[in-house]
Amino acid sequence: MENHHHHNSEALLASSLQGFRSEISKILNKVLPISELEFQFLSLSWIQKCIDVIPLTHRAFAKLVVEIDHPMNKWGKLQIEEYLDYSLNLLELLNSVTSGVSHLSHAKLSISHGLSLIGKNSDPLEALEHLNEIQPYDLGKELKVERKMIPENEESPSSGKDLIVRRSLWILMSVSSWIFGVLLSGICSSDKPYLELRKSAGLFDDSLIRGWDTILASEIAENCGVSKEVKEINEVITGLKEAVANGSVDEFAIELKRRLVDLEELMQKIGKKTNDLFSQVLAERGKFLDSLKHTRK
C-alpha cells in the first residue's frame, strides 16, 4: 500500500513538471509567435516582446511550487543555490540590456545633432562628423555567462519535490539565457551575446526553444545580430552622406528624422520594461532571502 502511494505521488509530481513545461511552451507561443518571425526578424519591435516572457515564466514557476506544495523555505541546499544563481544572473543580464540601450541612445543623439547642423545650413563637413552609422556594441566583460549546473548524480536532491523544483529552474535558466541572447544581440548589433548565451541555454534544457532557435540561429549569424531598425537607419545615413555632397539632403533628412523618432520610442519601451523587470526580480530575490533568514531562526 505504501509503495502504491509512493508511485502515485511520483506520478503526480511528473505530471506537474509536464504541466509546467506545457505552460512555458504556451507562454512562448503566445508572446513570440513563430509566424511573426518571417516579417519581423530581429526587429526591435519584435525583440522588445522577449522581455515579457520572463515575468510570465516566473508566475508559472510560482504556481508550480504551490501546486506541489513545496514552498521555498522547504527547499534543499542545491535548489537554494541555483535559484540565487539564476536571479543574480538575471539582474546582471538586465544591466547589460541597460548598457546596450544607453549605447543606442548616445549614437542616436550624435546622429540627431548632425541632422540639426544640416538644418541650420552649417558647414557640411561638421555635420558629416556626427552622421556616423550605429556601430556594434561590445559588452565585453559585462556579458557574464557563469551558469553552473550540478549533475543530479553528484548530490541527489533530498526529495522528489526538490527534483521537480531543480528541473523547473533549469527550464527557467534555459529560456532566460536564450531570451537575453536574442534581446542583447538585437540591441548591441552583434551576434556574440546570442552565441554565448545560446551555449548556456543548451546546458540546461533547450527543447522548448528549439523551434525559435532553428529559425533565428542562421539569420543572426548572417546579419551579425543587426536589428532591422538599425540596419535601415544606417542605410539612410549612407544615402544622406552622399546627398550632402550633392546638396540634395531634404528627402534623406526627413526619412532619417522619422526613423530616429521610431527608434527613440522603442528604446523607451525596452528601457521601461527592463527597469520594471529588474525591480521585480530584485524584490523576489529579497523576499526569498528574507524567508531563508526566518527559516534559520
Side-chain angles (χ1 to χ4, degrees):
M1 190 77 178
E2 190 177 324
N3 196 36
H4 178 69
H5 175 73
H6 174 74
H7 282 304
N8 279 346
S9 177
E10 291 297 316
L12 282 170
L13 288 173
S15 173
S16 294
L17 180 61
Q18 188 52 47
F20 175 70
R21 289 178 61 84
S22 297
E23 188 62 28
I24 299 300
S25 184
K26 281 179 194 171
I27 289 167
L28 287 165
N29 280 302
K30 185 177 179 181
V31 181
L32 306 172
I34 287 181
S35 58
E36 288 186 359
L37 272 176
E38 188 180 341
F39 308 103
Q40 300 190 49
F41 165 70
L42 269 194
S43 155
L44 288 176
S45 60
W46 185 84
I47 286 170
Q48 54 96 14
K49 294 179 186 177
C50 288
I51 305 170
D52 300 334
V53 170
I54 305 299
L56 293 173
T57 60
H58 287 186
R59 215 169 293 162
F61 178 70
K63 183 182 168 188
L64 171 76
V65 169
V66 170
E67 191 178 296
I68 65 172
D69 189 25
H70 200 49
M72 291 173 168
N73 59 9
K74 290 184 181 177
W75 289 5
K77 185 184 174 187
L78 290 181
Q79 291 70 55
I80 291 168
E81 285 180 2
E82 286 183 337
Y83 175 80
L84 290 173
D85 179 54
Y86 166 69
S87 58
L88 181 61
N89 203 262
L90 264 189
L91 294 172
E92 288 170 346
L93 288 169
L94 286 163
N95 278 334
S96 294
V97 173
T98 300
S99 292
V101 170
S102 178
H103 164 73
L104 273 181
S105 185
H106 284 304
K108 180 199 154 287
L109 281 172
S110 179
I111 296 165
S112 296
H113 182 55
L115 265 180
S116 70
L117 291 175
I118 289 174
K120 292 173 183 173
N121 295 317
S122 303
D123 179 3
L125 290 175
E126 188 183 350
L128 286 173
E129 279 180 24
H130 296 278
L131 290 171
N132 295 312
E133 287 88 353
I134 297 172
Q135 298 300 312
Y137 179 57
D138 184 7
L139 287 165
K141 290 180 181 177
E142 274 187 60
L143 185 61
K144 293 180 182 177
V145 186
E146 297 175 351
R147 293 277 171 80
K148 58 181 185 294
M149 183 178 75
I150 305 163
E152 286 173 11
N153 59 1
E154 266 187 35
E155 283 183 64
S156 293
S158 55
S159 74
K161 291 181 180 182
D162 275 342
L163 182 60
I164 298 302
V165 167
R166 284 196 78 201
R167 287 185 175 168
S168 302
L169 277 170
W170 294 349
I171 290 170
L172 291 185
M173 290 170 181
S174 175
V175 170
S176 68
S177 291
W178 184 83
I179 286 287
F180 278 96
V182 175
L183 187 60
L184 286 168
S185 276
I187 290 170
C188 299
S189 300
S190 165
D191 58 1
K192 186 181 174 184
Y194 182 75
L195 296 174
E196 288 293 319
L197 288 161
R198 188 176 169 222
K199 282 181 207 167
S200 181
L203 283 176
F204 300 96
D205 179 349
D206 63 356
S207 57
L208 286 168
I209 55 170
R210 225 166 266 156
W212 288 268
D213 191 57
T214 302
I215 298 169
L216 285 168
S218 60
E219 295 288 343
I220 285 178
E222 190 180 321
N223 291 276
C224 297
V226 179
S227 71
K228 176 174 169 280
E229 288 83 359
V230 168
K231 188 178 179 182
E232 289 171 350
I233 284 171
N234 286 347
E235 285 170 356
V236 177
I237 287 173
T238 301
L240 182 57
K241 283 179 174 179
E242 292 169 2
V244 167
N246 302 327
S248 54
V249 299
D250 288 354
E251 185 184 335
F252 287 101
I254 291 167
E255 180 65 13
L256 183 56
K257 189 174 182 180
R258 183 182 70 80
R259 291 192 182 279
L260 289 175
V261 168
D262 291 345
L263 180 65
E264 177 63 28
E265 286 178 4
L266 284 168
M267 286 192 301
Q268 284 184 5
K269 269 188 188 177
I270 293 169
K272 184 179 185 309
K273 285 185 178 185
T274 301
N275 290 337
D276 289 349
L277 183 54
F278 188 94
S279 298
Q280 185 183 320
V281 173
L282 195 62
E284 286 172 356
R285 185 180 166 86
K287 191 176 174 184
F288 180 72
L289 289 168
D290 283 343
S291 74
L292 289 181
K293 286 175 191 171
H294 292 308
T295 306
R296 286 171 183 172
K297 282 181 181 178

